[in-house]
């Protein structure tokens, strides 16, 4: 049964969309259609207000609190706080309420300020003035008051206030130029076309008298897709129906350029505009560190519950004897005696939970958030990652994944524009088997003393000469290139030889390279004017061709066509595209010679396109017009109908020739890939290019090496053998040689081991992913993954955008669950960027869709090396220490409290004062670890760049594994035992003050707390390798702050703060010699095991990083000026020292 109908009905009627319809009707200028034309049904649409803010003045507090308490940790501490308020607990509600209030308040202030900025931006946008036509006159009003159906006038350099259908402009040909930089980052001018029947309306009176209705699809976020039609009514005739597409749609946020003014009718307003629909944020990605942190929290929550249970049980066992349950000095009341035993036990259990709840560190969340937010600036400040050529620097779109940059195991990269420059240079063309090599022209720059044509083969025959000129005309006409306006030139542009050079603009660098290349071969494209394309031939005669139809390029067809009419009345269809899409449609031409040349160029790494044509008679053209018109005006399945129409039209072609364009490799792309492979990262290239071209690029960038044995899993091979046989054969080949290897040896860098590279195409991948007849596809997938794991590099060619995402998803959810990174520069890479754990966009020439949708953006591929091997390495080292240290210091903090219960009859008496309980995580120990997590560099930046293998030391979440976590926890338990029992045995049965007094419980607790604060702070100092004056200031300043606060709290410095139970306790403790001895002795004993462990491990089982550290110590210290942590650190951190 087909469930699509049921799903549609459920979507309509169960999702609150009772009025859901497929399309909307808009009445231009709010004028009703003429009587008898169609029913007038007024519809209500939203106004033009944009609301990007999250809160209002009235809902900020409840909504923000609701969102914050959805976080498990915040909700947990809220419950603890409420328990403290409700029952009689040993600690004041302030001890948990104040830290929680601090966290909630800081977060609310940050989010409130960000939302206030959004409100300001919204108001500025909604109140800007807009000109619109009312009763044939120009009226001005605020943008927010615009309604669907209003006719708007926009002047040059103004942005469009809403989504408009382009009606007319001051240009005679009914075109306008816009830039969409604020939408997709593309700065090139795009040409849009007015409706054919309204482009002659140039005045307010003309446009005000327009009688038309528009039918179009409901709002949807795709910037590049629009389907609609316009019915233009005249007084006598039936309405003229014209199709509307994305070329007629002017989007909110785009800017009008090189056009004095335009008129357009509003069709989508406010939050229904495509720009507003694209505000929706991407799905949240979670890092491996965050997952580890949550797992550790669950363990500590279990420890907390266990402690509370143990103490509750032991309390009632200890009180089972009557004199302990009810001593003479604490007689129970009658109501207490009659109280339910289970209720009492549950209340005591909650009280113990409150007493020990500080083992769960609420401040860790705030510290981690601050570390990620502030740490992300080190990438944006990095001058080494700034590209002088483009003036672009790195961008951080999310700081939640900083540490994930240090955990990457697989990199999936696009080829064109990512590994290559996307800077095309026309190299040669092959016509009828003859090869033509023009002199070099690239991006409008012609080398001096260059003219004429270099011909490799002999001159063509007379018939060949005709085909040659037809080929050049095809290249001049079959494109969507614009000629940049030059006000100083009136009339036709001249060729470069004549002193003037045409400046071409296109969204595709390939097209510009082809038009510039054919210009060197004697044919110059001049302009498109009044729907006529003008070219200058070799004899300097201008030829005019009427542009009848454009069959646009798309990634599925991989070709484009134009239908033009010459001055002599001949109608031609010119088609250019990938060889795989042109050859099957050709019935004539020298296919074998041209195919051989195409394959040779592809092996050399050149991008190839084939060109074909056919002549059309008038009857054929009229049939084509009807076919296209029927598809274009369809509101339902327009794209499918157009694709079917194109398929019928683009057939029975005559092959003319092929072109070859070179896309140079990016600077240091090969060095970057080599370094990443040494770091143990596997690099896969995913591209839409043909296999030979992509393979040549892979060799050039050292992904494949001379000794690499290439394995092919392509459609051609599957046609010869079955998929099952091919997979098993490849599996035997790779597993035979890699049986003795570990995964870390598979980087493809070992000279004495066989190195494999796999090439797979899109069609073969579809077969692997396709479910088998028995309903399973797992076997093929697992076999494919096993082959891929044994290969040092994989090349996936002829990939559709969704297939790229499929590949990433396949590896991402394989049994090892490796961390994946996807990098690309174009809109076709967005799907894989969103799918990978970390998505990186290259700020390239294909627009900024990739950069906008990515987690990070970089100017060039070479910057990936430093981003991963340096920044990623540092981020992971820092945050892993932060997480482990927080749990360690909280074990040190709470375990003495647990031990103390055995000495106070499980009475829930606190060991520490309320102020110490509250400020331990907020003030005394928080700043040193925050600074460490921002600035620590365990080895130098140059060392990390020079030795990529150090990246392996932190791979696979090495510093947050359970073994390391248990070590830190046991270290905390050991230190807690030393603090408690050391203080206990030092003062047991001794007089420790000069007047013979014995310390009380608050002095004992203060001594334990003092030893603990000094120990955990000095432990961090021992772990610090990168010392600056800021480290010294914060670490020693924190200890000084603790001492000063304790004196202040005890009423020594400010006597009016004589807090009852802590009055003079701290100064009395310091006046005792044994107390000083205990502090020094216990701190030393606590730190000793960790120091011994580090010394022994470094001597006996050193890691690669520790060996490098040992080597660095024998050299001159690294200067702070070499730090990449940005200008701020350069100015602040003078003369750092590595320990």
């Amino acid at each position: 049964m087909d469930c699509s109908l049921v799903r549609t009905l459920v979507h309509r009627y169960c999702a609150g969309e009772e009025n859901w319809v497929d399309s909307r009707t808009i009445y231009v200028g709010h004028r009703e259609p003429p009587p008898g034309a169609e029913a007038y049904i007024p519809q209500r649409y939203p106004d033009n207000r944009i609301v990007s803010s999250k809160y209002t003045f009235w809902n900020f507090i409840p909504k923000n609190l609701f969102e914050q308490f959805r976080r498990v940790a915040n909700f947990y501490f809220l419950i603890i706080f409420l328990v403290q308020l409700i029952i009689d607990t040993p600690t004041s509600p302030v001890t948990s309420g104040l830290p929680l209030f601090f966290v909630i308040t800081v977060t609310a202030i940050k989010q409130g300020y960000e939302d206030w900025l959004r409100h300001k931006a919204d108001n500025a946008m909604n109140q800007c003035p807009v000109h619109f036509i009312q009763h044939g006159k120009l009226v001005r009003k605020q943008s927010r008051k615009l309604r669907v159906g209003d006719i708007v006038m926009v002047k040059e350099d103004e942005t469009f206030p809403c989504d408009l259908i382009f009606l007319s402009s001051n240009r005679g040909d009914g075109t306008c130029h816009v830039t969409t930089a604020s939408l997709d980052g593309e700065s090139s001018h795009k040409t849009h076309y007015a409706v054919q029947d309204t482009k002659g309306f140039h005045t307010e009176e003309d446009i005000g008298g327009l009688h038309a209705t528009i039918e179009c699809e409901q709002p949807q976020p795709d910037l590049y897709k629009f389907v609609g039609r316009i019915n233009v009514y005249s007084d006598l005739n039936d309405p003229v129906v014209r199709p509307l597409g994305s070329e007629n749609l002017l989007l909110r946020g785009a800017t009008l350029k090189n056009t004095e003014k335009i008129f357009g009718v509003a069709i989508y307003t406010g939050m229904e505009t495509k720009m507003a629909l694209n505000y929706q944020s991407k799905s949240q990605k979670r890092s491996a560190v965050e997952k580890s942190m949550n797992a550790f929290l669950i363990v500590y929550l279990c420890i907390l519950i266990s402690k509370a249970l143990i103490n509750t049980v032991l309390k009632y066992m200890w009180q089972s004897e009557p004199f302990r349950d009810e001593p003479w000095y604490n007689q129970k009341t009658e109501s207490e005696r009659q109280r339910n035993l289970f209720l009492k036990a549950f209340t005591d259990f909650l009280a113990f939970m409150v007493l020990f709840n500080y083992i769960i560190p609420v401040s860790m969340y705030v510290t981690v958030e601050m570390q990620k937010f502030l740490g992300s600036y080190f990438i944006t400040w990095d001058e080494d990652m700034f590209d002088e050529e483009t003036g672009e620097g790195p961008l951080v779109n999310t700081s939640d994944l900083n540490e994930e940059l240090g955990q990457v195991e697989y990199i999936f990269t696009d080829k064109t524009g990512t590994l290559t420059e996307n800077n095309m240079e026309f190299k040669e063309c092959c016509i009828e088997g003859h090869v033509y090599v023009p002199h070099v022209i690239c991006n409008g720059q012609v080398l001096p003393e260059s003219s004429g044509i270099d011909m490799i083969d002999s001159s063509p025959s007379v018939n060949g000469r005709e085909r040659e000129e037809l080929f050049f005309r095809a290249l001049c006409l079959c494109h969507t290139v614009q000629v940049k306006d030059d006000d100083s030139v009136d009339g036709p542009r001249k060729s470069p030889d004549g002193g003037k050079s045409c400046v071409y603009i296109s969204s595709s660098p390939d097209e510009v390279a082809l038009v510039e290349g054919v210009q060197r071969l004697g044919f110059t494209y001049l302009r498109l004017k009044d729907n006529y394309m003008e070219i200058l031939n070799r004899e300097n005669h201008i030829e005019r061709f009427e542009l009848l139809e454009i069959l646009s390029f798309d990634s599925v067809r991989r070709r484009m066509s134009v239908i033009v009419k010459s001055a002599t009345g001949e109608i031609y269809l010119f088609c250019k595209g990938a060889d795989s899409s042109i050859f099957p449609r050709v019935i004539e031409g020298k296919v074998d010679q041209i195919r051989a040349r195409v394959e040779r160029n592809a092996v050399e790494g050149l991008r190839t396109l084939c060109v074909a044509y056919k002549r059309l008679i008038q009857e054929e053209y009229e049939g084509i017009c009807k076919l296209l018109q029927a598809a274009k005006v369809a509101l339902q399945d327009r794209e499918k109908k157009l694709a079917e129409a194109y398929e019928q039209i683009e057939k029975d072609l005559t092959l003319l020739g092929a072109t070859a364009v070179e896309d140079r490799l990016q600077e240091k792309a090969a060095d970057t890939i080599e370094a990443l492979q040494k770091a143990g990262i596997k690099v896969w290239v995913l591209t839409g290019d043909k296999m030979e071209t992509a393979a040549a690029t892979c060799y050039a960038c050292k992904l494949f090496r001379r000794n690499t044995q290439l394995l092919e899993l392509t459609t051609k091979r599957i046609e010869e053998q079955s998929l099952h046989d091919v997979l098993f054969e490849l599996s035997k080949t790779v597993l035979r040689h890699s049986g003795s290897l570990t995964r870390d040896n598979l980087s493809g860098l070992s000279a004495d081991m066989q190195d494999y590279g796999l090439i797979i195409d899109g069609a073969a991948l579809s077969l692997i992913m396709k479910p088998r007849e028995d309903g399973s596809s797992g076997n093929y997938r697992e076999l494919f993954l096993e082959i891929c794991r044994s290969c040092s590099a994989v090349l996936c060619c002829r990939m559709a955008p969704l297939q790229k995402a499929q590949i990433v998803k396949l590896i991402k959810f394989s049994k090892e669950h490796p961390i994946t990174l996807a990098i690309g520069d174009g809109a076709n890479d967005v799907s894989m960027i969103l799918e990978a754990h970390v998505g990186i966009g290259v700020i390239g020439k294909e627009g900024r869709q990739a950069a906008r949708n990515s987690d990070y953006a970089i100017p060039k591929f070479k910057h990936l090396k430093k981003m991963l091997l340096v920044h990623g390495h540092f981020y992971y080292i820092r945050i892993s220490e932060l997480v482990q240290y927080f749990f360690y210091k909280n074990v040190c903090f709470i375990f003495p409290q647990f031990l103390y219960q055995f000495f106070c009859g499980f009475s829930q008496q606190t060991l520490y004062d309320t102020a110490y309980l509250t400020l331990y995580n907020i003030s005394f120990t928080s700043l040193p670890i925050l600074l460490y997590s921002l600035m620590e560099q365990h080895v130098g930046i140059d060392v990390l760049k020079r030795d990529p293998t150090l990246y392996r030391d932190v791979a696979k979440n090495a510093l947050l594994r359970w073994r390391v976590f248990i070590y830190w926890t046991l270290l905390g338990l050991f230190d807690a035992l030393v603090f408690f029992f050391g203080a206990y045995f030092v003062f047991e049965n001794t007089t420790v003050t000069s007047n013979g007094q014995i310390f009380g419980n608050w002095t004992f607790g203060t001594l334990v707390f003092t030893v603990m604060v000094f120990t955990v702070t000095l432990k961090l100092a021992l772990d610090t390798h990168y010392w600056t004056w800021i480290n010294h200031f914060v670490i020693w300043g924190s200890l000084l702050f603790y001492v000063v606060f304790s004196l202040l709290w005890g009423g020594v410095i400010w006597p009016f703060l004589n807090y009852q139970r802590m009055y003079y306790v701290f100064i009395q403790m310091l006046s005792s010699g044994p107390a000083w001895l205990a502090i020094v002795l216990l701190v030393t004993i606590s730190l000793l095991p960790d120091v011994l462990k580090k010394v022994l491990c470094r001597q006996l089982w050193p890691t690669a990083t520790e060996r490098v550290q040992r080597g660095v110590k024998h050299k001159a210290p690294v200067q702070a000026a070499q730090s990449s942590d940005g200008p701020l650190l350069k100015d602040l951190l003078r003369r750092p020292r590595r320990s």
Side-chain angles (χ1 to χ4, degrees), residues 417-435:
T418 305
L419 292 178
T420 61
E421 291 182 350
N422 205 11
N423 191 11
M424 308 299 176
E425 181 185 328
F426 187 87
K427 299 301 287 185
E428 68 169 55
C429 60
C430 173
I431 309 169
E432 294 268 305
H434 301 285
V435 179

Side-chain angles (χ1 to χ4, degrees), residues 24-45 147-150 211-215 233:
R24 58 169 54 182
T25 302
I26 295 143
Y27 303 97
V28 177
H30 307 289
R31 296 186 64 182
E32 298 181 19
E38 60 182 80
Y40 176 61
I41 308 172
Q43 299 178 32
R44 295 187 64 184
Y45 301 109
R147 292 187 300 149
V148 170
D150 283 346
H211 213 165
T213 60
I214 293 173
E215 295 171 78
Y233 298 97

